[in-house]
Amino acid sequence: MIGTLLAKPLELMEDNLRRPAGRAGRFFGNLMAVQHRSLTLWAIEHMDVRSRQRVLDVGCGGGMAVNLLSRRTGQGFTAGVDYSMEMVEQAVRRNRAGIARSRVEVRHGDCAALPYEDSSFDQVCAIETFYFWPDPQRGLAEAHRVLKPGGQVSITLEMSREAGDDPSLVQRVFGRRFTERSERAGLHILSGDDLVDSLTKAGFRDARFVSQPRRSLGWVCALAHK
Ligand SMILES: C[S@@+](CC[C@H](N)C(=O)[O-])C[C@H]1O[C@@H](n2cnc3c(N)ncnc32)[C@H](O)[C@@H]1O
Protein backbone atom coordinates (compact mmCIF):
# COMPACT_ATOMS: atom_id res chain seq x y z
CA MET A 1 0.00 0.00 0.00
CA ILE A 2 2.69 2.49 1.07
CA GLY A 3 4.77 1.30 -1.87
CA THR A 4 1.90 2.15 -4.26
CA LEU A 5 1.37 5.56 -2.65
CA LEU A 6 5.08 6.32 -2.93
CA ALA A 7 5.49 5.01 -6.49
CA LYS A 8 4.23 8.18 -8.26
CA PRO A 9 6.26 10.71 -6.22
CA LEU A 10 9.34 8.50 -6.60
CA GLU A 11 8.83 8.33 -10.36
CA LEU A 12 8.44 12.12 -10.51
CA MET A 13 11.64 12.52 -8.49
CA GLU A 14 13.58 10.02 -10.65
CA ASP A 15 12.41 11.69 -13.88
CA ASN A 16 13.44 15.10 -12.59
CA LEU A 17 16.83 13.96 -11.34
CA ARG A 18 17.51 12.41 -14.75
CA ARG A 19 16.30 15.39 -16.78
CA PRO A 20 14.63 18.20 -14.81
CA ALA A 21 11.73 19.74 -16.73
CA GLY A 22 8.97 22.26 -16.13
CA ARG A 23 7.90 23.50 -12.73
CA ALA A 24 8.78 20.21 -10.98
CA GLY A 25 12.21 20.32 -12.62
CA ARG A 26 12.84 23.83 -11.32
CA PHE A 27 11.83 22.67 -7.84
CA PHE A 28 14.19 19.66 -7.97
CA GLY A 29 16.99 21.86 -9.33
CA ASN A 30 16.72 24.12 -6.29
CA LEU A 31 16.43 21.12 -3.97
CA MET A 32 19.58 19.54 -5.46
CA ALA A 33 21.47 22.80 -5.00
CA VAL A 34 20.92 22.37 -1.25
CA GLN A 35 20.97 18.59 -0.96
CA HIS A 36 24.15 18.02 -3.04
CA ARG A 37 26.15 20.82 -1.43
CA SER A 38 28.17 18.72 1.01
CA LEU A 39 28.85 16.03 -1.64
CA THR A 40 29.96 18.79 -4.02
CA LEU A 41 32.29 20.38 -1.45
CA TRP A 42 33.79 16.94 -0.83
CA ALA A 43 34.30 16.41 -4.59
CA ILE A 44 35.89 19.85 -5.01
CA GLU A 45 38.26 19.18 -2.11
CA HIS A 46 39.60 16.14 -4.01
CA MET A 47 39.84 17.99 -7.32
CA ASP A 48 42.32 20.51 -5.92
CA VAL A 49 41.13 23.34 -8.16
CA ARG A 50 43.63 26.17 -8.66
CA SER A 51 43.16 29.82 -9.43
CA ARG A 52 43.40 30.53 -13.18
CA GLN A 53 42.33 27.01 -14.16
CA ARG A 54 39.60 26.31 -16.70
CA VAL A 55 37.02 23.92 -15.20
CA LEU A 56 33.98 22.27 -16.79
CA ASP A 57 31.06 20.78 -14.81
CA VAL A 58 29.11 18.28 -16.96
CA GLY A 59 25.45 17.77 -15.96
CA CYS A 60 25.70 20.95 -13.90
CA GLY A 61 22.02 21.03 -12.90
CA GLY A 62 21.08 24.32 -11.21
CA GLY A 63 24.70 25.55 -11.17
CA MET A 64 25.57 25.29 -7.47
CA ALA A 65 28.88 23.48 -8.20
CA VAL A 66 29.68 25.96 -10.98
CA ASN A 67 29.25 28.74 -8.42
CA LEU A 68 31.49 27.03 -5.83
CA LEU A 69 34.12 26.17 -8.46
CA SER A 70 34.20 29.71 -9.85
CA ARG A 71 35.13 31.03 -6.41
CA ARG A 72 38.28 28.86 -6.65
CA THR A 73 39.19 29.49 -10.27
CA GLY A 74 39.32 33.25 -9.57
CA GLN A 75 40.90 34.75 -12.69
CA GLY A 76 40.31 31.48 -14.56
CA PHE A 77 37.08 30.22 -16.13
CA THR A 78 34.29 27.88 -15.03
CA ALA A 79 31.73 26.38 -17.39
CA GLY A 80 28.63 24.24 -16.89
CA VAL A 81 26.81 22.07 -19.43
CA ASP A 82 23.40 20.46 -19.01
CA TYR A 83 20.89 18.99 -21.47
CA SER A 84 17.91 20.34 -19.51
CA MET A 85 16.98 23.89 -20.57
CA GLU A 86 15.37 24.46 -17.14
CA MET A 87 18.70 23.67 -15.47
CA VAL A 88 20.66 25.86 -17.87
CA GLU A 89 18.36 28.79 -17.03
CA GLN A 90 18.64 28.09 -13.30
CA ALA A 91 22.43 27.77 -13.49
CA VAL A 92 22.61 31.08 -15.36
CA ARG A 93 20.53 32.75 -12.62
CA ARG A 94 22.72 31.25 -9.89
CA ASN A 95 25.90 32.50 -11.59
CA ARG A 96 24.91 35.96 -12.82
CA ALA A 97 27.87 37.74 -11.26
CA GLY A 98 30.50 35.38 -12.71
CA ILE A 99 28.81 35.45 -16.14
CA ALA A 100 28.79 39.29 -16.07
CA ARG A 101 32.57 39.20 -15.47
CA SER A 102 33.03 36.60 -18.29
CA ARG A 103 34.49 34.18 -15.74
CA VAL A 104 31.53 31.78 -15.96
CA GLU A 105 29.48 30.33 -18.80
CA VAL A 106 26.60 27.85 -18.92
CA ARG A 107 25.76 26.04 -22.14
CA HIS A 108 22.97 23.74 -23.23
CA GLY A 109 24.50 20.45 -24.36
CA ASP A 110 24.82 16.71 -24.00
CA CYS A 111 27.63 14.84 -22.26
CA ALA A 112 27.93 12.73 -25.45
CA ALA A 113 28.84 15.80 -27.56
CA LEU A 114 30.30 18.49 -25.32
CA PRO A 115 30.06 21.93 -26.93
CA TYR A 116 33.78 22.71 -26.47
CA GLU A 117 37.00 22.41 -28.43
CA ASP A 118 39.60 19.70 -27.87
CA SER A 119 42.09 20.29 -25.03
CA SER A 120 40.30 23.32 -23.60
CA PHE A 121 39.98 22.52 -19.84
CA ASP A 122 42.30 21.77 -16.91
CA GLN A 123 39.55 19.92 -15.04
CA VAL A 124 36.28 18.24 -15.99
CA CYS A 125 33.93 17.10 -13.25
CA ALA A 126 30.55 15.36 -13.22
CA ILE A 127 28.65 15.29 -9.93
CA GLU A 128 25.59 13.09 -9.39
CA THR A 129 24.98 12.65 -13.10
CA PHE A 130 27.15 9.81 -14.44
CA TYR A 131 24.56 7.08 -13.76
CA PHE A 132 22.02 8.80 -16.02
CA TRP A 133 24.27 8.92 -19.09
CA PRO A 134 22.92 6.48 -21.71
CA ASP A 135 26.46 5.72 -22.93
CA PRO A 136 28.84 6.44 -20.04
CA GLN A 137 31.98 5.52 -22.06
CA ARG A 138 31.01 8.04 -24.71
CA GLY A 139 30.68 10.71 -22.01
CA LEU A 140 34.13 9.82 -20.64
CA ALA A 141 35.61 9.94 -24.16
CA GLU A 142 34.19 13.46 -24.49
CA ALA A 143 35.66 14.49 -21.12
CA HIS A 144 39.01 13.13 -22.34
CA ARG A 145 38.75 15.05 -25.61
CA VAL A 146 38.06 18.45 -24.01
CA LEU A 147 40.75 18.04 -21.32
CA LYS A 148 44.23 19.45 -21.85
CA PRO A 149 47.06 16.88 -21.65
CA GLY A 150 47.66 16.36 -17.91
CA GLY A 151 44.16 17.63 -17.06
CA GLN A 152 42.06 15.90 -14.45
CA VAL A 153 38.62 14.28 -14.64
CA SER A 154 36.47 13.51 -11.59
CA ILE A 155 33.24 11.56 -11.37
CA THR A 156 31.33 11.84 -8.10
CA LEU A 157 28.24 9.92 -7.02
CA GLU A 158 26.21 9.67 -3.84
CA MET A 159 24.81 6.21 -4.61
CA SER A 160 27.29 3.43 -5.33
CA ARG A 161 28.34 -0.08 -4.48
CA GLU A 162 30.78 1.36 -1.94
CA ALA A 163 28.16 1.38 0.86
CA GLY A 164 29.87 -1.25 2.92
CA ASP A 165 29.88 -3.75 5.77
CA ASP A 166 28.85 -1.21 8.39
CA PRO A 167 25.66 0.34 6.93
CA SER A 168 24.17 3.54 8.34
CA LEU A 169 20.51 3.64 9.42
CA VAL A 170 19.50 5.27 6.10
CA GLN A 171 21.34 2.54 4.19
CA ARG A 172 19.67 -0.19 6.24
CA VAL A 173 16.17 1.25 5.74
CA PHE A 174 16.35 2.46 2.11
CA GLY A 175 19.69 1.31 0.71
CA ARG A 176 19.20 -1.87 -1.26
CA ARG A 177 15.57 -1.20 -2.16
CA PHE A 178 16.38 2.22 -3.59
CA THR A 179 19.47 1.00 -5.41
CA GLU A 180 17.58 -1.92 -6.98
CA ARG A 181 14.72 0.38 -8.01
CA SER A 182 17.22 2.76 -9.61
CA GLU A 183 18.85 -0.09 -11.54
CA ARG A 184 15.45 -1.22 -12.84
CA ALA A 185 14.96 2.37 -14.02
CA GLY A 186 18.17 2.01 -16.07
CA LEU A 187 20.73 3.74 -13.83
CA HIS A 188 24.28 2.37 -13.73
CA ILE A 189 25.10 1.74 -10.05
CA LEU A 190 28.87 1.34 -9.83
CA SER A 191 31.65 0.60 -7.39
CA GLY A 192 34.82 2.67 -7.15
CA ASP A 193 36.65 -0.10 -9.03
CA ASP A 194 34.03 -0.03 -11.82
CA LEU A 195 34.64 3.70 -12.21
CA VAL A 196 38.40 3.22 -12.25
CA ASP A 197 38.01 0.57 -15.00
CA SER A 198 35.76 2.84 -17.06
CA LEU A 199 38.20 5.74 -16.78
CA THR A 200 41.13 3.54 -17.75
CA LYS A 201 39.20 2.16 -20.75
CA ALA A 202 38.50 5.74 -21.83
CA GLY A 203 42.27 6.37 -22.01
CA PHE A 204 42.84 8.11 -18.65
CA ARG A 205 45.88 7.29 -16.51
CA ASP A 206 46.43 6.95 -12.75
CA ALA A 207 42.72 6.36 -12.07
CA ARG A 208 41.86 6.03 -8.38
CA PHE A 209 38.89 6.58 -6.15
CA VAL A 210 38.03 7.82 -2.68
CA SER A 211 34.84 6.93 -0.85
CA GLN A 212 32.71 7.72 2.17
CA PRO A 213 30.78 4.45 2.49
CA ARG A 214 28.44 5.63 5.24
CA ARG A 215 27.36 8.90 3.60
CA SER A 216 23.99 8.75 1.73
CA LEU A 217 24.05 5.52 -0.29
CA GLY A 218 27.85 5.37 -0.54
CA TRP A 219 29.68 8.48 -1.71
CA VAL A 220 32.38 7.81 -4.27
CA CYS A 221 34.67 10.16 -6.21
CA ALA A 222 36.87 8.71 -8.96
CA LEU A 223 39.74 10.79 -10.35
CA ALA A 224 42.17 10.34 -13.23
CA HIS A 225 44.45 12.28 -15.57
CA LYS A 226 44.61 12.64 -19.33
C1 LIG B 1 20.78 14.58 -10.27
S1 LIG B 1 21.09 15.97 -11.27
C2 LIG B 1 22.62 16.60 -10.59
C3 LIG B 1 22.86 18.04 -10.91
C4 LIG B 1 24.11 18.66 -10.30
N1 LIG B 1 25.33 18.11 -10.87
C5 LIG B 1 24.09 18.50 -8.82
O1 LIG B 1 24.91 17.74 -8.26
O2 LIG B 1 23.23 19.11 -8.17
C6 LIG B 1 21.62 15.27 -12.80
C7 LIG B 1 21.83 16.32 -13.88
O3 LIG B 1 22.49 15.72 -14.99
C8 LIG B 1 21.90 16.21 -16.17
N2 LIG B 1 22.12 15.21 -17.23
C9 LIG B 1 21.71 13.92 -17.24
N3 LIG B 1 22.09 13.32 -18.38
C10 LIG B 1 22.76 14.25 -19.11
C11 LIG B 1 23.37 14.23 -20.39
N4 LIG B 1 23.33 13.14 -21.18
N5 LIG B 1 23.99 15.36 -20.83
C12 LIG B 1 23.98 16.49 -20.07
N6 LIG B 1 23.39 16.57 -18.86
C13 LIG B 1 22.79 15.46 -18.38
C14 LIG B 1 20.41 16.38 -15.82
O4 LIG B 1 19.73 17.25 -16.68
C15 LIG B 1 20.51 16.90 -14.38
O5 LIG B 1 20.58 18.30 -14.33
Side-chain angles (χ1 to χ4, degrees), residues 4 17 20 31 34 38 51 60 101 115 117 139 141 161-162 171 175 178 187 198 200 210 213 218 223-224:
T4 316
L17 294 180
L31 187 68
V34 177
S38 47
S51 177
C60 66
R101 287 186 288 114
E117 309 246 305
R161 301 210 178 277
E162 290 305 317
Q171 289 168 353
F178 197 77
L187 270 70
S198 299
T200 306
V210 287
L223 300 126

Side-chain angles (χ1 to χ4, degrees), residues 13-21 28-29 31-37 39-40 57-65 81-88 107-114 125-135 139 156 158:
M13 181 179 81
E14 283 160 2
D15 288 350
N16 280 286
L17 294 180
R18 187 187 293 270
R19 189 171 198 153
F28 278 103
L31 187 68
M32 288 188 283
V34 177
Q35 205 252 321
H36 295 163
R37 194 178 167 91
L39 177 80
T40 300
D57 180 23
V58 182
C60 66
M64 173 266 297
V81 167
D82 203 288
Y83 73 171
S84 151
M85 264 323 287
E86 258 81 15
M87 290 303 94
V88 170
R107 289 192 187 177
H108 184 233
D110 197 298
C111 66
L114 292 172
C125 66
I127 301 167
E128 263 304 274
T129 181
F130 188 68
Y131 13 59
F132 300 113
W133 298 358
D135 182 350
T156 303
E158 70 170 353

Side-chain angles (χ1 to χ4, degrees), residues 191-201 204 207-209 222-223:
S191 66
D193 283 334
D194 293 333
L195 285 169
V196 163
D197 283 350
S198 299
L199 287 165
T200 306
K201 271 189 209 131
F204 290 100
R208 66 186 175 93
F209 75 91
L223 300 126

Side-chain angles (χ1 to χ4, degrees), residues 155-166:
I155 306 291
T156 303
L157 299 167
E158 70 170 353
M159 174 169 51
S160 76
R161 301 210 178 277
E162 290 305 317
D165 307 333
D166 179 23

